[in-house]
Amino acid sequence: MKLTLKDVTCGYWGRAVVSGVSMEVESGEIMCLLGPNGSGKTTLFKTILGLIKPQAGEILFGGENICDWSQARIARVMGYIPQAHTPPFPFKVLDVVLMGRTAHLGIFAVPSPEDKEIVQEAMAALNISHLQDRVYTEISGGERQLVLIARALAQQPQVLIMDEPTSSLDFGNQVMVLSHIKRLAHTGLAIIMASHFPDHALLYASKVMLLKKGQVYSLGRPEETVTEENLKSLYGVDVKIIRAEIPGCSETRVCVPVSRQILPKDTRREETC
């Protein structure tokens, strides 16, 4: 199945924040959105999720316009992982993941044995079954993100939307979460992920969209889109794209920022950091 945006404009109270967005994400693909703060990434996500109505354009899933779908129907197709989440009550991990079944339950229904089995499968897919009796607020940041992904998987969606899923994580937990995201794409999920790190797009994405001031600045494969020129225009900093050979892997590209330090005239040089 394919998620398609056709010339979508969205925003608040009649004011456009993002305009003219057209893109396609198919099963098994990871689309990474890059852009500075205020470029419209979260607003676009809210529109795709049906939380705000588009001001213009169409959002299609499987060829059907979803703009008039109910929230429950959208939730059966799309899972959402926020930047961070701290519940007001000390729920157990199992209960947090079980919340993902809400879209499939009636108003007064309780989770069935089948629902509980789906939840167990979602946790097993992310190797967090051992956390099910732990208190969600007492586990690490990386573990919390995996719990939120498991909650979204329990919805049995076909599209996962992730708003900066590694924003508050250390390097090790970032790698862990992103590796799981890439593996989920291989199972057939379509994934749209916002990030502030160009390396995430280079290492994990199959498509990249650059947003600048609410407009699509560039869209395509990572090697076409994540370039030194585009990143300088997007973020206003000089960068270098470094190519490296890793044994047993194809060529890897990473982004390195370049700083121009003020030095005596005869020793002025360009340094990387």
Side-chain angles (χ1 to χ4, degrees):
M1 299 289 280
K2 181 190 302 183
L3 177 68
T4 303
L5 274 64
K6 291 186 175 181
D7 202 24
V8 169
T9 295
C10 51
Y12 308 94
W13 306 291
R15 181 179 67 86
V17 175
V18 178
S19 58
V21 175
S22 296
M23 69 177 194
E24 291 184 348
V25 186
E26 300 191 44
S27 299
E29 291 185 329
I30 298 177
M31 165 79 80
C32 186
L33 270 62
L34 295 175
N37 293 330
S39 59
K41 300 185 294 296
T42 299
T43 300
L44 182 61
F45 282 169
K46 288 180 178 179
T47 305
I48 295 172
L49 291 164
L51 300 176
I52 57 177
K53 293 287 186 182
Q55 297 174 355
E58 294 182 315
I59 302 174
L60 309 174
F61 181 75
E64 185 177 353
N65 194 330
I66 69 172
C67 294
D68 295 321
W69 285 12
S70 67
Q71 281 297 130
R73 188 178 180 189
I74 291 175
R76 288 192 289 270
V77 170
M78 298 186 192
Y80 174 60
I81 295 92
Q83 294 182 31
H85 173 253
T86 302
F89 302 105
F91 293 108
K92 288 186 177 181
V93 164
L94 179 62
D95 295 327
V96 174
V97 181
L98 195 56
M99 293 174 189
R101 296 302 299 162
T102 303
H104 299 271
L105 301 177
I107 297 177
F108 299 108
V110 296
S112 67
E114 181 183 358
D115 291 317
K116 294 177 181 178
E117 182 179 348
I118 290 169
V119 165
Q120 292 291 344
E121 290 173 355
M123 290 191 294
L126 296 167
N127 299 319
I128 59 170
S129 298
H130 62 286
L131 297 175
Q132 65 177 1
D133 293 323
R134 295 277 301 278
V135 177
Y136 175 79
T137 53
E138 296 176 0
I139 59 179
S140 72
E143 289 170 334
R144 286 190 195 184
Q145 283 302 97
L146 291 178
V147 171
L148 294 180
I149 295 173
R151 183 181 67 176
L153 290 181
Q155 294 177 224
Q156 295 183 308
Q158 298 180 59
V159 180
L160 274 182
I161 295 179
M162 302 180 170
D163 194 355
E164 299 179 32
T166 65
S167 61
S168 60
L169 302 182
D170 62 37
F171 178 72
N173 280 318
Q174 285 187 32
V175 172
M176 175 180 65
V177 169
L178 289 167
S179 296
H180 279 296
I181 290 171
K182 190 167 187 176
R183 187 165 58 83
L184 290 172
H186 290 160
T187 69
L189 283 170
I191 296 174
I192 307 175
M193 176 182 76
S195 178
H196 278 305
F197 301 98
D199 284 342
H200 293 175
L202 289 170
L203 294 171
Y204 297 97
S206 47
K207 290 180 178 178
V208 180
M209 176 188 289
L210 306 183
L211 278 177
K212 182 179 181 181
K213 296 180 179 179
Q215 303 281 339
V216 177
Y217 183 77
S218 183
L219 173 65
R221 296 193 304 272
E223 60 271 20
E224 300 171 336
T225 306
V226 186
T227 64
E228 296 170 358
E229 295 79 11
N230 283 350
L231 293 178
K232 181 175 182 179
S233 176
L234 202 65
Y235 296 107
V237 296
D238 291 319
V239 300
K240 292 293 183 184
I241 302 296
I242 308 299
R243 291 168 173 79
E245 294 287 344
I246 299 177
C249 301
S250 57
E251 183 183 78
T252 299
R253 302 165 72 240
V254 294
C255 177
V256 180
V258 175
S259 65
R260 297 180 182 276
Q261 299 189 3
I262 300 176
L263 299 171
K265 187 173 182 180
D266 58 344
T267 60
R268 191 168 300 162
R269 58 192 174 88
E270 194 174 80
E271 293 186 352
T272 61
C273 49

